């Protein structure tokens, strides 16, 4: 795959640490939610970041597939991503469950359904959830 864009995030301290993006556009405090043993200390957790990213990406994918028709995604359209984390059934680690709720006000329901189906094929987050992703893990000196 030809990489069109790449970014890097650095996290120190894990779920109770700090995260920064290499270009300085984002710096935030990470906290674990109370359901995972954390306190309410005003930070952000990885599931919130994933939900935000997935929702933004899916809405962009909807716009992309609509433009190819050509249609316009209506103003006020929204994607709500719900991300849950829990122990996998094999008890060997954790897994995610994701639900996307899409609002495309003013579009005929059959057209909206077609766009959502196409966007689900185009969106890289949806592709990741269906097929996984190539991962390279290594130790840095």
């Amino acid at each position: 795959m030809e990489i069109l864009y790449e970014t890097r995030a650095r996290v120190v301290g894990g779920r109770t640490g700090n995260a920064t993006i290499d270009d300085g556009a984002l710096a935030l405090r990470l906290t674990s939610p109370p359901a995972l043993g954390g306190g309410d200390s005003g930070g952000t957790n990885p599931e919130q970041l994933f939900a935000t990213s997935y929702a933004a990406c899916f809405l962009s994918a909807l716009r992309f597939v609509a433009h190819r028709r050509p249609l316009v995604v209506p103003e006020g359209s929204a994607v709500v991503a719900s991300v849950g984390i829990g122990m996998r059934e094999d008890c060997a680690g954790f897994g995610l469950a994701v639900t996307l709720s899409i609002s495309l006000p003013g579009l005929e329901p059959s057209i909206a359904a077609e766009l959502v189906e196409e966007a689900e094929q185009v969106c890289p987050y949806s592709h990741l959830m269906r097929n996984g992703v190539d991962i390279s893990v290594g130790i840095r000196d």
Side-chain angles (χ1 to χ4, degrees), residues 104 106-116:
L104 298 167
L107 273 186
E108 183 179 318
S110 62
I111 299 296
E114 289 174 12
L115 290 178
V116 167

Side-chain angles (χ1 to χ4, degrees), residues 2-42:
E2 178 188 350
I3 303 296
L4 301 175
Y5 170 76
E6 182 176 70
T7 188
R8 293 175 7 161
R10 181 172 192 265
V11 173
V12 176
R15 286 183 167 272
T16 57
N18 294 292
T20 55
I21 303 299
D22 62 353
D23 66 2
L26 179 68
L28 40 86
R29 197 166 111 236
L30 299 172
T31 59
S32 283
L36 296 179
D40 187 15
S41 58

Side-chain angles (χ1 to χ4, degrees), residues 8-98:
R8 293 175 7 161
R10 181 172 192 265
V11 173
V12 176
R15 286 183 167 272
T16 57
N18 294 292
T20 55
I21 303 299
D22 62 353
D23 66 2
L26 179 68
L28 40 86
R29 197 166 111 236
L30 299 172
T31 59
S32 283
L36 296 179
D40 187 15
S41 58
T44 303
N45 65 62
E47 292 72 36
Q48 291 169 324
L49 294 169
F50 186 76
T52 301
S53 300
Y54 199 165
C57 191
F58 200 88
L59 187 52
S60 292
L62 281 165
R63 288 187 174 126
F64 177 82
V65 299
H67 180 71
R68 292 193 308 195
R69 286 194 172 224
L71 292 171
V72 175
V73 171
E75 281 293 317
S77 294
V79 175
V80 175
S82 299
V83 175
I85 185 171
M87 186 62 68
R88 295 190 319 247
E89 289 190 20
D90 64 7
C91 295
F94 295 91
L96 297 176
V98 178

